[in-house]
Amino acid sequence: MTARGGAGSGRLAASLPGLAVVRGYQRAWLAKDVVAGLVLSALLVPQGMAYAELAGLPAITGLYTSILCLVGYAVFGPSRVLVLGPDSSLGPMIAATIAPLLLADGDPARAVALASMLAVMVGVLMTVAGLAKFGFVADLLSKPTQIGYLNGLALTILVGQLPKLSGFSVDADGLIEEAKAFVSGVANGDVNGTAAAIGLVSLVGILLLQRLLPRVPAVLVAVVLSSLAVKLWDLGANGVNTIGVLPSGFPPFTIPTAAWGEVPMLVVGALGISLVALADTMSTASSFAARRGERVHGNQEMVGIGAANIAAGFFQGFPVSTSGSRTAVAEQNGSKSQLTGVVGAVAIALILVLAPWLMQYVPQPTLGAVVIAAALSLADLAATRRLWHQRRMEFGLSMAAFLGVALLGVLPGILIAVALSILNVFRRLWWPYQTSLGRVAEIPGLHDTTQYPDAKLLPGLVVFRFDAPLIFANARIFNEQVRALVADHPDLRWVLVAAEPITDVDTTAADMLELLDDWLNERGVSLVFAELKDPVRAKVEAYELTRTINPDHFFPTLDAAIDAFRASTGATWQSPTEP
């Protein structure tokens, strides 16, 4: 009974990491968690409101979202340091999903309901995927396409926030149209000088503080100082828009609904948001876990993100993800456990219940500056330059993802990024790297003759390396390359396949090998394999390929195969220039 109880308790702790933290909580952590939580809340409040407006929602929903997602992740999330909340990379995706479902800017209450439904969908998708151990789907976004996607997103957000930063609004959709509308507004004199000054000073202040004094909460400083300026100098009378008094009280439990006709669009948006949130969370979790000597629990992370989104969705919130900047703030201030997020959530709830007037003087241009600063942190121009210098193909993929987001929109952009990542994997399988090997003086082993054109060769032998599993997609390429080798070497006796990189052989490739071996045998050439992995060798035997390929032509190492060839032919190593 005790053993079964212990096993059940262990499973429960694995499903509810927050429970395990409570059981093993140390009193020495409490002060650090409380301080880190209070500092974190000072960042969460202005960012939450700014990112809510980026998503096309009332600012208050950003605070509702922050409270519930922090509590949800504290219970179900495995990481003791990750901080979830409204995110700048998800805001445009949320807006792109719900905006077409609203009529003529729509009703704010309806927009909140759709965003909450979207959060619940994201939460269910993530939770189910985590329970089904689908954490690997985060790999569908390769690093180059992530870089391009985020660069495009940064540009889109930047251009979209310029009117708010300048104290006016535009009625346009899409990067090009919004850019034209902003330029037109500036040309027509729509810029409010006072609002633009507040916005620009806030933006410059945030960027400088983040660079020069990274431990100082730059966003909080900008929000507090700009709010004081609005209050002391009555800048509202000069046309500077502010948030105003927030609704008082804790967000009510609400079951979001959507019409059946709206479900397909919401599902598409939820899939895209889930993928971006998962990729962002995995990369952030991996980097912070490495620094702390911890292990990333990918599937449980999906459950944690799912729980956070479901909790937010049932309390008028919208989809959330992990934030690297907020996580860094928590870590820098000594966070030891998920209690940090709970303290942050309680602090925000107390503001809503006891002091909703606290945010009434926060100027909209400052919120625009907060969003632009976040957008600039998304862009990674240095990584783009590295791709240009290191691998032009992946630079092209990155630029395609960038243009997809910038020109076609956020949701099409993420679909393009995923498709490009998958196509790039298929391209590598379809046309893998292939080369011949030779002996290089004073370097043990055999080496690529492309890199070492003076490598010595054995007459009558070609050592051929094919760097991919041998499957239906590349079987024709393998076949054609081997036949080309025969045509290029009239004296050829053996085609020795350096098979260590070949991790699989499917039935299509097996049929190809059988026909190829018959063709080679007719010309007096043997197909030989070395270093074929045991599971792959087992498949070769299951396909009965040894009926045509001589069983003696499978060698454990390249050296063993070469020794056998030299023993049967008497060949010696020669320079390519020797006759």
Side-chain angles (χ1 to χ4, degrees), residues 370-393:
V370 171
V371 173
I372 289 176
L376 293 176
S377 70
L378 293 176
D380 196 342
L381 300 182
T384 305
R385 285 194 299 270
R386 281 198 305 273
L387 289 176
W388 170 258
H389 292 296
Q390 294 173 354
R391 193 153 184 168
R392 297 293 172 85
M393 174 61 74

Side-chain angles (χ1 to χ4, degrees), residues 136-504:
F136 65 88
V137 298
D139 300 330
L140 290 179
L141 272 177
S142 67
K143 188 64 176 179
T145 51
Q146 282 187 56
I147 292 170
Y149 168 76
L150 291 176
N151 284 342
L153 194 62
L155 181 60
T156 301
I157 294 173
L158 174 62
V159 172
Q161 293 295 307
L162 286 177
K164 179 185 285 190
L165 192 76
S166 305
F168 68 98
S169 61
V170 299
D171 184 13
D173 187 28
L175 176 67
I176 304 299
E177 295 302 318
E178 288 181 339
K180 289 180 179 178
F182 173 71
V183 172
S184 177
V186 173
N188 294 334
D190 294 337
V191 175
N192 181 303
T194 305
I198 289 227
L200 289 173
V201 170
S202 298
L203 177 59
V204 172
I206 291 171
L207 295 177
L208 286 176
L209 283 175
Q210 288 176 340
R211 185 175 183 85
L212 302 177
L213 300 170
R215 288 185 174 272
V216 174
V219 171
L220 177 63
V221 171
V223 167
V224 169
L225 293 181
S226 61
S227 300
L228 287 174
V230 170
K231 168 66 175 174
L232 294 176
W233 296 318
D234 193 21
L235 299 183
N238 293 335
V240 177
N241 293 325
T242 62
I243 290 176
V245 178
L246 296 174
S248 176
F250 194 78
F253 175 82
T254 307
I255 299 177
T257 58
W260 282 110
E262 297 168 335
V263 170
M265 185 68 178
L266 290 173
V267 169
V268 171
L271 287 170
I273 290 169
S274 298
L275 185 58
V276 171
L278 180 59
D280 187 30
T281 297
M282 291 304 180
S283 60
T284 304
S286 298
S287 61
F288 280 93
R291 292 200 304 209
R292 296 164 65 93
E294 298 173 352
R295 185 166 65 92
V296 176
H297 303 275
N299 295 311
Q300 188 61 40
E301 284 292 358
M302 296 181 77
V303 174
I305 303 170
N309 276 281
I310 291 173
F314 282 122
F315 288 87
Q316 299 185 26
F318 51 84
V320 299
S321 177
T322 302
S323 167
S325 61
R326 292 190 289 268
T327 301
V329 167
E331 186 185 53
Q332 289 169 2
N333 286 276
S335 173
K336 295 297 181 182
S337 74
Q338 292 96 320
L339 181 61
T340 294
V342 175
V343 171
V346 170
I348 297 172
L350 290 176
I351 290 174
L352 289 176
V353 173
L354 303 178
W357 45 266
L358 201 58
M359 299 292 122
Q360 65 178 313
Y361 295 111
V362 176
Q364 291 287 355
T366 296
L367 291 186
V370 171
V371 173
I372 289 176
L376 293 176
S377 70
L378 293 176
D380 196 342
L381 300 182
T384 305
R385 285 194 299 270
R386 281 198 305 273
L387 289 176
W388 170 258
H389 292 296
Q390 294 173 354
R391 193 153 184 168
R392 297 293 172 85
M393 174 61 74
E394 296 197 344
F395 172 80
L397 291 173
S398 180
M399 292 307 298
F402 167 78
L403 292 174
V405 174
L407 300 180
L408 300 180
V410 177
L411 288 179
I414 187 64
L415 294 177
I416 288 172
V418 171
L420 288 174
S421 295
I422 295 173
L423 287 174
N424 191 34
V425 172
F426 186 75
R427 178 190 65 83
R428 293 180 180 179
L429 287 174
W430 175 54
W431 193 267
Y433 185 73
Q434 310 152 57
T435 189
S436 297
L437 305 180
R439 173 182 278 184
V440 181
E442 299 181 359
I443 304 179
L446 297 180
H447 301 277
D448 189 341
T449 55
T450 304
Q451 301 296 322
Y452 299 94
D454 296 328
K456 291 185 177 182
L457 309 173
L458 284 172
L461 173 72
V462 170
V463 183
F464 174 56
R465 195 180 71 203
F466 191 80
D467 290 353
L470 196 50
I471 59 174
F472 71 95
N474 56 34
R476 180 183 61 83
I477 303 298
F478 183 96
N479 179 56
E480 292 179 353
Q481 187 63 30
V482 171
R483 291 176 184 244
L485 290 172
V486 174
D488 292 340
H489 299 79
D491 62 339
L492 194 61
R493 301 276 298 278
W494 276 20
V495 175
L496 173 56
V497 180
E500 194 274 335
I502 299 178
T503 56
D504 192 17

